[in-house]
């Protein structure tokens, strides 16, 4: 009989992005998620509804990823499911995002558009009409 070691217990998951300009990056994500920024020396925490959702870590040599096939390729990206693509697109662009790839058909039952946040991290606005 094999003995099993109890798996570790994960208490919280937080996505952390690197950025040379922590304040711009933190302001973008806090505004997009309707949260607030709690600053520290080399760190910014994004708090939403009293819970820690994201971290922004100071990385002075951060290199912006080139999406989709650049020398510096993406290592991670976020998919944000939205209920209204046009409103969400307007909001992220107002906050400083750049559209990298528009949807093939924004009226389809499901799809996505690819953006870059102020530090160049790719993320997608996604939608689906199925539950």
């Amino acid at each position: 009989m094999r003995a099993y070691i109890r798996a570790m217990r994960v208490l919280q998951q937080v996505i952390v992005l690197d950025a040379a300009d922590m304040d711009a990056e933190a302001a973008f994500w806090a505004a997009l998620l309707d949260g607030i920024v709690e600053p520290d020396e080399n760190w910014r925490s994004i708090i939403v509804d009293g819970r820690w959702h994201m971290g922004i870590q100071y990385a002075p040599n951060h290199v912006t990823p080139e999406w989709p096939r650049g020398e510096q390729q993406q290592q991670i990206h976020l998919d944000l499911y939205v209920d209204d693509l046009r409103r969400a697109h307007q909001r992220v662009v107002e906050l400083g995002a750049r559209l990298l790839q528009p949807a093939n058909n924004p009226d389809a039952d499901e799809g996505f558009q690819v953006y870059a946040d102020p530090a160049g991290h790719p993320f997608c606005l996604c939608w689906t009409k199925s539950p």
Side-chain angles (χ1 to χ4, degrees):
M1 179 196 262
R2 292 175 50 174
Y4 290 94
I5 298 173
R6 183 173 181 227
M8 69 178 190
R9 187 171 162 213
V10 176
L11 301 175
Q12 185 172 6
Q13 297 176 26
V14 175
I15 294 175
V16 178
L17 299 176
D18 293 345
D21 186 343
M22 290 185 303
D23 293 322
E25 189 74 357
F28 173 84
W29 286 105
L32 183 63
L33 298 173
D34 290 327
I36 61 169
V37 177
E38 288 189 0
D40 200 346
E41 184 178 346
N42 290 317
W43 187 271
R44 304 293 183 263
S45 296
I46 310 303
I47 309 298
V48 180
D49 296 329
R51 293 183 47 225
W52 184 26
H53 279 259
M54 291 184 77
I56 308 300
Q57 178 175 283
Y58 179 57
N61 298 319
H62 171 73
V63 177
T64 298
E66 297 174 28
W67 187 91
R69 293 177 192 82
E71 189 171 312
Q72 178 65 35
Q73 294 186 8
Q74 73 178 11
Q75 291 110 32
I76 187 173
H77 77 274
L78 303 174
D79 286 350
L80 305 173
Y81 282 81
V82 298
D83 60 353
D84 184 327
L85 176 64
R86 286 168 179 83
R87 274 196 353 232
H89 167 82
Q90 182 178 347
R91 178 74 173 143
V92 300
V93 170
E94 286 172 357
L95 292 171
R98 291 180 293 115
L99 178 63
L100 298 177
Q101 177 184 320
N104 290 334
N105 179 1
D107 297 315
D109 285 346
E110 60 182 32
F112 64 92
Q113 290 194 154
V114 183
Y115 297 82
D117 71 13
H121 299 290
F123 69 95
C124 298
L125 292 180
C126 310
W127 71 92
T128 182
K129 293 183 181 168
S130 62

